[in-house]
Amino acid sequence: MPTKPTLPDEVTKRPLHFFYLVDASGSMTGAKINSLNHAIREVVPEIKSALSNHPEVQAKIRAIRFSSDVEWHIGPEAVDLEKFVWNDIQPSGRTSTAGAIRKLVDALDIEQMPRRGYPPVCILISDGFCTDGEDEYESAVAALDSIPWGKKSIRLSIGVGNEGEYDEEQLLKFCNQPEVGLLKAQNAATLVQYIKWASTAAAIGASAGKSKVHEDNGQNVALSTPPQPVLSDKGDVF
């Protein structure tokens, strides 16, 4: 049979994977988790808008929930952006951040990810210190740094609450965007703003990045400048 011709308006789509690593420990109870749930529910139209000029990008989303245990909140199969529905997280327990990073490492394994795709977007959101132990955290980040898609991914960290409530050094080790650094959200409005910015800026940056896992091991994306924290009244502060 003759090969079907490719129409001029047909676009070859390549996947762009989003991973949200969400702290669901007990300390997130209240305004923190409510703001996070609200932000991720609203991020879908923001990502769609950011990618509106990139029809070649097929966005897919997963989310890892971590507290005393680590679970797929959305996954393990990636969900197309158009079909993505966020179910609110109810927090409890401790803060197994290292366990969440280990699950991300498994998902980013070269055998689990497409050979050709845009740099994955990985956003870690936490308000506490990892309770898995310092050595385990260091080991988990080292494992992430050792795999091709771990190196090439866009990794951002958002610290929730006052600076003394979370381990800034740990969260910075996850982040591989030194020009951005740690995004510090001390109130609900800023947390919502940072989740939306991190998602949309990374989507645009990733869509311009190299699409082969083995093209190089260096950073190949550039992000826009993060917005300034939102000023709010004391009632909005975590």
Side-chain angles (χ1 to χ4, degrees):
M1 294 180 64
T3 302
K4 180 182 176 182
T6 301
L7 299 177
D9 59 349
E10 287 184 342
V11 177
T12 301
K13 289 185 176 292
R14 292 177 181 162
L16 166 57
H17 288 265
F18 285 82
F19 294 88
Y20 293 95
L21 283 68
V22 178
D23 186 344
S25 62
S27 58
M28 287 287 290
T29 300
K32 293 177 180 178
I33 201 66
N34 291 339
S35 300
L36 185 150
N37 285 324
H38 170 72
I40 297 184
R41 279 199 305 271
E42 291 200 340
V43 83
V44 170
E46 303 272 348
I47 297 174
K48 285 181 178 178
S49 177
L51 294 176
S52 60
N53 293 324
H54 297 274
E56 72 281 6
V57 178
Q58 183 180 23
K60 295 176 175 288
I61 299 180
R62 277 175 273 189
I64 297 170
R65 170 195 177 280
F66 63 96
S67 55
S68 296
D69 53 7
V70 179
E71 299 175 337
W72 284 108
H73 188 65
I74 305 292
E77 297 300 321
V79 176
D80 289 344
L81 181 67
E82 293 75 14
K83 298 179 180 178
F84 174 74
V85 176
W86 182 258
N87 296 315
D88 284 357
I89 285 178
Q90 303 300 324
S92 65
R94 294 165 67 82
T95 313
S96 184
T97 319
I101 296 173
R102 288 284 186 187
K103 188 172 282 291
L104 175 64
V105 170
D106 291 341
L108 290 177
D109 184 89
I110 195 170
E111 298 301 326
Q112 304 298 324
M113 292 284 287
R115 297 282 176 151
R116 291 184 63 85
Y118 295 99
V121 176
C122 308
I123 301 173
L124 171 62
I125 308 166
S126 180
D127 79 331
F129 289 70
C130 174
T131 53
D132 296 319
E134 185 67 27
D135 289 345
E136 179 56 31
Y137 187 89
E138 295 281 349
S139 176
V141 172
L144 184 60
D145 289 335
S146 71
I147 59 174
W149 279 129
K151 293 177 183 177
K152 291 177 68 68
S153 60
I154 301 173
R155 291 157 31 192
L156 297 168
S157 297
I158 302 176
V160 184
N162 295 323
E163 292 184 14
E165 295 176 347
Y166 51 78
D167 191 321
E168 181 173 344
E169 184 178 352
Q170 282 186 342
L171 293 179
L172 279 171
K173 287 178 181 177
F174 177 85
C175 177
N176 65 353
Q177 303 294 319
E179 73 284 0
V180 175
L182 177 62
L183 299 169
K184 301 177 181 181
Q186 295 188 350
N187 57 55
T190 301
L191 177 58
V192 172
Q193 175 180 253
Y194 279 159
I195 291 174
K196 290 182 177 180
W197 174 84
S199 302
T200 55
I204 294 171
S207 65
K210 296 183 175 70
S211 62
K212 285 185 180 179
V213 68
H214 289 306
E215 283 188 4
D216 61 53
N217 288 329
Q219 286 303 116
N220 50 49
V221 297
L223 303 185
S224 60
T225 302
Q228 292 297 311
V230 178
L231 299 178
S232 59
D233 57 41
K234 292 183 178 179
D236 187 42
V237 176
F238 294 134

